[in-house]
């Protein structure tokens, strides 16, 4: 398992590692304060090496947090594995993917 990490550069949040049941709670906790004060406008997922449904749930929660604070959010460089889960879950009309 590769621990998930976050790095923010400007208005983009870069996610790396695995998004699974073991990592998403810590990522959500780490992003809650920044989303409350200065949410990012883009989340770059090009560094995600594996994800499951917990990772998709994290994207939904990030979107909710951003919108709660009046910010639009776009997910960029979404890996094919995550796009497949998003399509199967019928979330492609909800999640703003670039």
């Amino acid at each position: 398992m590769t621990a998930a990490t976050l790095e923010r550069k400007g208005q983009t949040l870069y996610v790396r590692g695995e998004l699974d049941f073991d990592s998403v709670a810590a990522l959500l906790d780490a992003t809650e304060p920044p989303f409350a004060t200065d949410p990012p406008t883009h989340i770059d997922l090009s560094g995600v090496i594996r994800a499951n449904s917990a990772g998709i749930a994290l994207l939904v929660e990030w979107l909710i947090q951003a919108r709660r604070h009046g910010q639009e959010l776009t997910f960029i460089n979404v890996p094919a594995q995550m796009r497949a889960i998003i399509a199967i879950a019928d979330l492609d009309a909800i999640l703003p993917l670039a």
Side-chain angles (χ1 to χ4, degrees):
M1 174 170 149
T2 303
T5 62
L6 302 169
E7 180 182 2
R8 184 164 179 170
K9 293 181 183 176
Q11 288 300 313
T12 302
L13 182 66
Y14 294 87
V15 183
R16 293 181 182 84
E18 296 182 15
L19 297 181
D20 57 20
F21 296 101
D22 294 326
S23 65
V24 297
L27 292 178
L28 184 57
D29 288 344
T31 56
E32 202 163 359
F35 269 79
T37 57
D38 184 24
T41 57
H42 296 90
I43 295 183
D44 187 316
L45 300 163
S46 61
V48 173
I49 56 173
R50 189 180 69 78
N52 61 23
S53 60
I56 305 307
L58 179 63
L59 301 187
V60 172
E61 183 57 34
W62 279 339
L63 180 62
I64 291 168
Q65 286 185 18
R67 289 187 175 168
R68 183 179 303 136
H69 298 288
Q71 181 68 49
E72 288 301 315
L73 181 62
T74 303
F75 298 100
I76 58 176
N77 300 315
V78 180
Q81 177 191 19
M82 293 184 78
R83 284 183 180 273
I85 297 169
I86 289 166
I88 289 170
D90 203 23
L91 292 171
D92 40 1
I94 296 168
L95 290 172
L97 308 179

